[in-house]
Amino acid sequence: MASSEKEIDILVPVYNRASYVAPFIDLIKVQTYKNLKVYFACGESRDNTDQEIQQAIKANPSLPIFYAQIGRSSIGKLRNYWLDSGKLEGEY
């Protein structure tokens, strides 16, 4: 990774989308731009979305993936969780 590359934070609010987690991570891994971090904010999913995210984190140790279980929230609150957290470091 070149030091001049700007970091991009990807915010992913998710609810009941377990089947999309692995394909999404696969798409991130094939990007030519590598200075990316993925931030999942998960609502109270009734499927195994939480487990799929945890598995993606374990299966991809070189990819910075962060996860927060937010609980019952609107899509906007899920997105805003990371925006308001003070933990984002990327320029974009």
Side-chain angles (χ1 to χ4, degrees), residues 13-16 41-46 50 68-73 78:
V14 62
Y15 174 77
N16 285 343
C42 192
E44 286 182 352
S45 294
R46 294 185 178 135
D50 298 303
Q69 170 48 259
I70 308 306
R72 190 174 194 148
S73 297
L78 292 175

Side-chain angles (χ1 to χ4, degrees), residues 2-71:
S3 62
S4 64
E5 284 189 335
K6 300 222 184 259
E7 183 179 293
I8 297 174
D9 294 331
I10 303 168
L11 307 182
V12 187
V14 62
Y15 174 77
N16 285 343
R17 294 293 181 250
S19 64
Y20 293 97
V21 173
F24 174 76
I25 295 299
D26 288 342
L27 289 172
I28 296 298
K29 290 184 337 189
V30 299
Q31 296 300 308
T32 56
Y33 194 88
K34 297 297 183 188
N35 200 8
L36 305 169
K37 289 184 179 178
V38 179
Y39 293 83
F40 283 100
C42 192
E44 286 182 352
S45 294
R46 294 185 178 135
D47 63 1
N48 62 340
T49 301
D50 298 303
Q51 293 85 0
E52 287 293 318
I53 295 169
Q54 294 297 332
Q55 183 164 339
I57 291 169
K58 289 178 187 173
N60 300 284
S62 63
L63 179 61
I65 304 172
F66 302 91
Y67 164 77
Q69 170 48 259
I70 308 306

